[in-house]
Amino acid sequence: MAILPILVAPNPVLKTKAKPVDTVDDEIRQLMNDMLETMYNAPGIGLAAPQVGVSKRVIVVDITTEDEEPNPLCMANPEIIWASEEEELREEGCLSLPEQFAEVVRPKAVRVRYLDKEGEIRELDADELMGICVQHEMDHLDGTLFVDHLSSLKRNMILRKLRKSRSGKPATV
Ligand code: NI
């Protein structure tokens, strides 16, 4: 396993629609393992392949806390097949927008169909933190960041703050 550099916005890969995975083979499993290690190291609760510069439809999630047993979830080609009408407002952050947080409205619960590490088709019902996290990571596969759900005023404020905090520091990639 390897810790991969995480891209920070603005970066064109973060705005690109990622390509579906043909087969979950050893290369994809390696990517999933590297992404998990990178996510735990950050630390974060979710990571999408475009955030490590790989434009493929792969995400990893683990919402357990430090004192719980890890429960990693690896998904290729995740798709939302159902979303609740009920929405929820929750504060989000993103490893590609370091130290920036804002409240985002999303469906409270979703059902996701995906391929697991063995290439088996699986479905997951996710709500609360898990539901939000999966939706946030899936957004990355379509080139969408959480700030894209905000008004342009709020988005520009965050991107400006981010530029300011990054200026003078070496780039992450
Ligand atoms: Ni993110």
Side-chain angles (χ1 to χ4, degrees):
M1 300 221 284
I3 294 169
L4 308 168
I6 297 174
L7 303 188
V8 171
N11 185 295
V13 183
L14 294 173
K15 301 305 290 174
T16 304
K17 196 174 161 74
K19 297 215 160 51
V21 169
D22 291 329
T23 322
V24 182
D25 54 13
D26 285 346
E27 190 193 323
I28 294 296
R29 275 187 283 273
Q30 177 73 52
L31 173 65
M32 287 168 165
N33 287 337
D34 289 347
M35 284 170 60
L36 278 174
E37 191 175 0
T38 304
M39 179 187 79
Y40 289 131
N41 178 257
I45 58 170
L47 193 68
Q51 292 182 276
V52 292
V54 179
S55 204
K56 289 185 180 163
R57 303 188 82 79
V58 173
I59 64 171
V60 296
V61 171
D62 188 344
I63 60 160
T64 56
T65 54
E66 240 175 78
D67 45 346
E68 291 175 307
E69 277 292 298
N71 185 20
L73 199 60
C74 301
M75 300 183 177
N77 301 344
E79 272 180 274
I80 291 178
I81 56 172
W82 172 83
S84 65
E85 273 177 32
E86 195 183 344
E87 293 181 322
E88 188 177 34
L89 185 69
R90 203 182 260 265
E91 185 169 75
E92 294 188 24
C94 180
L95 295 173
S96 295
L97 297 161
E99 288 154 46
Q100 308 306 317
F101 301 90
E103 285 189 319
V104 179
V105 181
R106 297 184 188 272
K108 194 177 164 64
V110 288
R111 180 169 299 148
V112 182
R113 184 177 292 156
Y114 64 99
L115 298 175
D116 69 8
K117 262 182 151 177
E118 279 69 49
E120 299 288 332
I121 299 171
R122 304 233 175 235
E123 284 183 12
L124 172 80
D125 284 310
D127 64 358
E128 306 275 325
L129 181 58
M130 187 63 165
I132 270 46
C133 185
V134 168
Q135 292 179 74
H136 174 117
E137 300 315 328
M138 286 177 65
D139 264 359
H140 277 298
L141 306 181
D142 291 322
T144 302
L145 299 173
F146 80 80
V147 287
D148 295 320
H149 292 282
L150 308 176
S151 67
S152 58
L153 187 74
K154 277 193 198 164
R155 178 168 55 246
N156 290 334
M157 210 167 70
I158 286 180
L159 295 177
R160 235 190 344 261
K161 268 201 293 185
L162 189 66
R163 261 199 305 277
K164 230 173 163 180
S165 72
R166 304 291 300 173
S167 63
K169 291 181 192 165
T172 308
V173 280

Short mmCIF file of all heavy atoms in Angstrom, two decimals, residues 52 70 131:
data_model
loop_
_atom_site.label_atom_id
_atom_site.label_comp_id
_atom_site.label_asym_id
_atom_site.label_seq_id
_atom_site.Cartn_x
_atom_site.Cartn_y
_atom_site.Cartn_z
N VAL A 52 -6.97 11.65 -5.93
CA VAL A 52 -5.57 11.24 -5.99
C VAL A 52 -5.11 11.21 -7.45
O VAL A 52 -4.15 10.53 -7.81
CB VAL A 52 -5.30 9.88 -5.28
CG1 VAL A 52 -5.50 10.03 -3.78
CG2 VAL A 52 -6.20 8.77 -5.82
N PRO A 70 -12.03 -0.52 12.43
CA PRO A 70 -12.21 0.04 11.09
C PRO A 70 -13.24 -0.77 10.28
O PRO A 70 -13.37 -1.98 10.48
CB PRO A 70 -10.83 -0.10 10.45
CG PRO A 70 -9.89 -0.35 11.58
CD PRO A 70 -10.68 -0.97 12.69
N GLY A 131 -24.78 8.29 4.54
CA GLY A 131 -25.48 8.73 3.33
C GLY A 131 -24.85 9.97 2.74
O GLY A 131 -24.64 10.07 1.52
#
